[in-house]
Amino acid sequence: LWCALPEALEECEPGFVHTPAAAIPEASGPGFVARVMIGTQLGVTSPVQPLSPTLYVEFRLEPGAVLDLPDCTFERAIYAVDAPVVVDGTVVEPFRLAVLSGDPVQIAAPAAAHFVLIGGEPLGHRHMVWNFVSSSRERIEAAKSAWRAQAMGHVPGETEFIPY
């Protein structure tokens, strides 16, 4: 997972931390299992330490399951992966991102469903081109040039180069 950074940290030294799948905690309840990749949800906290408050939770719901999520103080959304989910009475189709309010929310799964809950502190306006995100268009252009020249460094263990 890649996370955008707060503007004050946009130019920090790049880093990569591997967290083994076995270290990602799970929470479960009637009709659901959740893996807390980043942040805290359902009383479970991920060992992943982002540079700003971030939330990324994978949910799998059984058919007919209903999940109540508490209120939240930062931005959040859900992405339906493989089946529709119903968020406070509104159907969210697969491959759609639904922005949530900070109020408590109820998510229902008419059929088995897989979705992710994402969120974090507001970061302000950003520009996004391919895998580059920045508050500055000029910085994105510089990143594109550095990527093409393969001058951005490498993720440990990765050998494949994906052209821009």
Side-chain angles (χ1 to χ4, degrees):
L1 303 172
W2 298 95
C3 293
L5 296 172
E7 192 169 350
L9 299 173
E10 280 185 310
E11 296 300 325
C12 72
E13 189 66 30
F16 177 82
V17 176
H18 175 73
T19 303
I24 301 298
E26 289 188 355
S28 61
F32 78 88
V33 173
R35 290 173 35 92
V36 182
M37 311 285 197
I38 303 173
T40 299
Q41 189 70 38
L42 304 166
V44 175
T45 299
S46 169
V48 175
Q49 296 295 310
L51 295 177
S52 66
T54 304
L55 182 64
Y56 191 105
V57 184
E58 173 190 41
F59 285 91
R60 292 186 186 273
L61 274 62
E62 296 173 2
V66 176
L67 174 67
D68 291 309
L69 295 178
D71 60 343
C72 186
T73 60
F74 50 75
E75 295 177 338
R76 63 184 177 166
I78 67 163
Y79 179 79
V81 175
D82 62 356
V85 293
V86 180
V87 179
D88 286 341
T90 300
V91 176
V92 177
E93 296 292 340
F95 315 117
R96 298 282 186 224
L97 183 74
V99 176
L100 305 176
S101 73
D103 297 329
V105 64
Q106 185 175 80
I107 302 172
H114 180 200
F115 70 91
V116 294
L117 172 68
I118 59 173
E121 290 292 331
L123 296 175
H125 183 75
R126 292 294 189 273
H127 303 281
M128 186 169 148
V129 177
W130 193 52
N131 287 329
F132 306 121
V133 179
S134 177
S135 59
S136 161
R137 289 187 191 276
E138 294 78 16
R139 183 64 184 100
I140 287 179
E141 290 305 314
K144 287 168 30 178
S145 295
W147 183 266
R148 287 183 186 116
Q150 297 188 40
M152 293 189 94
H154 301 280
V155 174
E158 292 293 327
T159 58
E160 179 183 11
F161 175 74
I162 300 171
Y164 174 75

